Amino acid sequence: MEFVWTSTVIAIIAFALLYWLLEKYAFGPLFGVMEKRRELVQEQIASAENSREEAARHLEEQKQALQEARKEAYAIIEQAKSTSVKQADDIIATAKSEAGRLKEEAVKDIETEKNKAVLSLRSEVSGLSVKIASKIIEKQVDEKEQKQLVDQYLKEVGGKP
Amino acid sequence: MHIFPILEIGGLEFDLSSILGILVSCIICFVLARLAVRNLSVDKPSKLQNFMEWALEFVHNTVAGTMPIKHARKYIALGATIIFFIFVSNLLGLPFGVVFDAHEELKLIGYTIISEGTLAEHGGHAHIAFWKSPTADLSVTAGLALIVFVLIHYLGIKNNTKHYFKHYIEPFPIFLPLNLMKVVSKPLTLALRLYANIFAGEVLIATILMLGWIGIPMLAVWQGFSIFVGAIQAFLFTVLTMVYIAESTVHEEH
C-alpha cells in the first residue's frame, strides 16, 4: 500500500465538483422546497389560528345577539304587561266616568220630570180650582146678575166693530 | 494481497482503482440526488424525496446540535455531500471485486500499469484489483480530511480571527504545543479512522474469499456488518466535520 498523492488531489477536485453539483442541482432545490413547505405549514397554522379566533368572535357575537334578543323580548313582554294594565285602568276609569255621567243625567232627568210634574200639577190644580170656583160661582150667581154679565159681554162684542 | 494498478503519465502516478472508485461514487451520488429531486413537490413528496429530506434533516440536526441554526444552512449541503459521498464510497467495495491476474508487464493505451519491477517484487505474479472502495485508500481519505482541515482553519481565521489565534494559547500559553498537536491530529484521525475501518473491512472480505465455499455465510455476515460500519464511519466523519466547523466558526461569549 503506497500513498499516491494524485489520488488525494483527484479526491479533492472530485469532491469539490460533487459538492458544487449537488448544491446546485439537488440540495438547492430541495432546500427551496423544504423552506416552502415550512412556510406553507406556518401559513396554515396562522390561518387556522385566525379562523379559530374568528369562530370564537362569531360565537361571542352570537351569544351577545341572543342575549340582546332575550332582553328585547323581556322588554316587550314588560311593555305589553304595563300597557295592558294601563288599558285596564283606562277602561275602568272610562266606565266609572260614564257611569257617573249616566247617573248625573238620570238625576237631572228626574229633576226635570219632577219639575214638569210639579208644573202640570200646578196648572191642573189651578184649573181644578177654577172649576171648583166656577161651580161655586155657578151656584151663587143669580139670574139677574147672569143676565147682566151676558149683556155686558154682548155689549162688548157689539161695540167692537 | 492485491496490488492496485498505478498508471504513470509524465512522471505522475495515478491510482486507477481509486480514480475509478471516486468517479463511480460521484456519479452514483449525483444520479441518486437528481432522481430524488426530479419531481419536487411541496405538499406531496415522493418516497425518494422524503428520504432525501430525511437525510438533510438528519444532517441538519447534527449540524444544529453543534452550531447555532442561523449558521447551519450553508453547512448542511456540505455535511450532506460528505455523508452521501463517503457512504456510497464505503459500500462501493463491498458487493464485488474486479481482479486481474497479471503475469507480465501490463500496458493500457500505451502506458505502463504494472511494471516489470512491480511484478518482480511480487514474485512475477500479481493480483491486480481494479475495484475497491475509494475510501479504502489513505490518499483519498487524506484528500477529504485535507478539505476539512483547510475549511476549518479558513473559517476560523475569517469568522473570528481574534479568537482563532487566541485559542492556541488557551487556557495557558504553555498549552501551545498541545494545541498545535490538536491541529495536526484532527485531520489525521479523520483520514486514518475512515481509511482504516474501510480498508480493514475489505481486507477481511478478501481474506474470507480465500476460504472458498465455507466462507460464504461469514462473508454474508461480514458484508452486512461492513454496511453498518460504512454508515457509522460516514456519519462519524460528517459529525466530526460539523463539530470542527462549529468550533472554528462559533465563539460563544463567555
Side-chain angles (χ1 to χ4, degrees):
Chain A
M1 190 66 228
E2 50 190 318
F3 191 88
V4 186
W5 68 270
T6 50
S7 295
T8 310
V9 175
I10 287 169
I12 292 172
I13 294 169
F15 184 82
L17 206 66
L18 182 67
Y19 173 72
W20 181 72
L21 283 175
L22 285 186
E23 172 66 29
K24 182 156 188 192
Y25 292 107
F27 296 147
L30 203 59
F31 275 135
V33 165
M34 284 162 86
E35 185 65 23
K36 237 180 254 167
R37 179 175 313 132
R38 205 180 57 77
E39 273 165 17
L40 186 77
V41 167
Q42 232 157 21
E43 198 182 289
Q44 277 171 350
I45 287 174
S47 78
E49 183 67 23
N50 266 359
S51 45
R52 199 188 61 78
E53 267 168 23
E54 208 169 317
R57 217 182 54 232
H58 275 315
L59 191 68
E60 201 57 39
E61 265 171 27
Q62 294 300 316
K63 261 187 196 164
Q64 217 143 3
L66 198 66
Q67 202 70 26
E68 243 160 63
R70 201 169 283 164
K71 223 182 269 176
E72 215 165 303
Y74 195 73
I76 288 170
I77 289 170
E78 274 307 293
Q79 208 179 346
K81 260 187 199 164
S82 68
T83 315
S84 66
V85 166
K86 213 173 85 191
Q87 230 163 358
D89 281 354
D90 273 359
I91 289 168
I92 288 170
T94 320
K96 260 185 190 161
S97 70
E98 185 78 3
R101 199 175 56 79
L102 283 177
K103 201 174 120 192
E104 255 167 46
E105 240 167 58
V107 168
K108 224 185 266 171
D109 276 357
I110 289 168
E111 193 72 25
T112 331
E113 286 300 315
K114 201 181 94 185
N115 284 350
K116 242 187 234 167
V118 168
L119 220 62
S120 69
L121 207 60
R122 201 175 277 163
S123 67
E124 219 160 300
V125 166
S126 71
L128 271 179
S129 57
V130 166
K131 266 182 191 162
I132 292 170
S134 60
K135 280 258 168 92
I136 296 170
I137 290 172
E138 233 176 275
K139 268 180 195 166
Q140 279 182 357
V141 174
D142 52 11
E143 290 279 319
K144 200 176 90 198
E145 235 171 304
Q146 208 170 355
K147 199 167 165 81
Q148 200 183 333
L149 272 173
V150 171
D151 286 344
Q152 195 181 340
Y153 186 71
L154 285 175
K155 216 193 257 170
E156 264 174 35
V157 170
K160 269 239 165 133
Chain B
M1 199 49 237
H2 300 140
I3 61 167
F4 299 109
I6 309 284
L7 187 64
E8 271 194 60
I9 301 175
L12 292 176
E13 292 179 323
F14 293 100
D15 188 336
L16 284 184
S17 58
S18 291
I19 294 170
L20 186 67
I22 292 168
L23 281 180
V24 171
S25 288
C26 286
I27 290 166
I28 290 176
C29 282
F30 186 68
V31 168
L32 273 181
R34 278 306 292 168
L35 279 180
V37 299
R38 196 178 39 180
N39 292 317
L40 282 178
S41 154
V42 173
D43 47 350
K44 285 195 189 83
S46 63
K47 279 177 185 169
L48 214 52
Q49 188 192 339
N50 262 335
F51 173 75
M52 282 294 281
E53 283 185 15
W54 171 79
L56 279 190
E57 290 274 310
F58 174 74
V59 175
H60 180 96
N61 285 339
T62 51
V63 173
T66 55
M67 76 172 77
I69 197 105
K70 55 180 176 171
H71 297 294
R73 177 72 185 269
K74 54 183 172 178
Y75 301 118
I76 296 172
L78 177 71
T81 311
I82 289 177
I83 204 166
F84 278 127
F85 178 72
I86 293 181
F87 184 60
V88 171
S89 297
N90 288 348
L91 298 189
L92 216 57
L94 294 181
F96 56 87
V98 181
V99 178
F100 287 101
D101 272 337
H103 299 283
E104 53 195 26
E105 200 177 70
L106 198 66
K107 283 176 187 286
L108 185 73
I109 39 175
Y111 293 102
T112 311
I113 294 173
I114 303 297
S115 64
E116 292 283 6
T118 321
L119 275 176
E121 271 173 39
H122 290 79
H125 166 85
H127 295 294
I128 304 163
F130 271 93
W131 188 262
K132 66 171 180 182
S133 289
T135 41
D137 187 339
L138 184 56
S139 34
V140 176
T141 57
L144 293 175
L146 210 61
I147 293 172
V148 176
F149 177 80
V150 170
L151 198 63
I152 59 178
H153 289 283
Y154 167 72
L155 288 173
I157 292 171
K158 187 185 153 216
N159 287 355
N160 38 41
T161 320
K162 199 177 145 201
H163 177 254
Y164 174 80
F165 288 113
K166 215 173 78 183
H167 96 276
Y168 283 109
I169 52 163
E170 270 179 348
F172 306 109
I174 199 151
F175 277 77
L176 180 65
L178 272 179
N179 282 324
L180 285 177
M181 218 193 282
K182 206 169 79 182
V183 170
V184 179
S185 70
K186 270 180 188 173
L188 204 64
T189 51
L190 271 184
L192 283 175
R193 186 187 302 109
L194 181 56
Y195 156 69
N197 274 284
I198 307 309
F199 184 65
E202 301 219 333
V203 167
L204 199 60
I205 284 174
T207 314
I208 291 169
L209 278 175
M210 289 175 192
L211 282 174
W213 295 107
I214 312 161
I216 288 178
M218 284 170 74
L219 192 66
V221 170
W222 181 250
Q223 284 198 328
F225 187 63
S226 286
I227 293 174
F228 175 66
V229 168
I232 287 289
Q233 289 307 318
F235 169 68
L236 209 57
F237 198 101
T238 312
V239 168
L240 283 175
T241 305
M242 290 304 140
V243 171
Y244 294 156
I245 288 177
E247 263 179 13
S248 62
T249 51
V250 180
H251 172 225
E252 293 92 11
E253 302 298 328
H254 51 88

